[in-house]
Amino acid sequence: MAEITLTVAGRGYSVAAREGDEPHLRHLESLLAKHADTAQRASGGLSAEKTLLYLSLILADLLDEAEKNPPSGVSPVLLDRIADRLEAVAAALEDDASNA
């Protein structure tokens, strides 16, 4: 298992990745980056934990909206898989933050 460093809201987090998952995790990192500035402003920039909380809320809101109004052609199974992956990334970030 490889270990990569993902940067979220200006902070680096080491994350274990299965072989071949690095491109996908980098893609998720770029999705998080799109909302990181908003999360940092919402948290007042006071703590990484609060920024991650706001980032999680932003993503949960987007996921909730996608579940209520899925684009045509996107199956609920795919949305469930996306939710599972987001939860895994959030858990890994939380675990890494608690070890820092």
Side-chain angles (χ1 to χ4, degrees):
M1 191 163 281
E3 188 168 303
I4 64 170
T5 300
L6 299 177
T7 302
V8 178
R11 251 182 111 172
Y13 297 91
S14 293
V15 177
R18 290 183 303 223
E19 196 66 37
D21 275 354
E22 185 175 340
H24 180 68
L25 289 171
R26 293 288 177 209
H27 174 69
L28 294 177
E29 177 185 42
S30 71
L31 293 175
L32 293 170
K34 291 180 184 180
H35 302 286
D37 287 340
T38 302
Q40 282 183 309
R41 283 192 305 274
S43 72
L46 299 176
S47 73
E49 290 79 17
K50 201 162 198 172
T51 297
L52 291 176
L53 170 65
Y54 279 102
L55 188 54
S56 297
L57 290 171
I58 291 167
L59 295 175
D61 185 51
L62 291 171
L63 180 60
D64 182 55
E65 186 64 31
E67 287 176 345
K68 289 178 183 173
N69 303 303
S72 53
V74 177
S75 73
V77 172
L78 177 60
L79 292 175
D80 284 344
R81 289 182 62 208
I82 291 169
D84 290 343
R85 286 185 180 240
L86 284 173
E87 288 173 8
V89 169
L93 290 173
E94 287 175 8
D95 201 34
D96 192 56
S98 68
N99 292 330

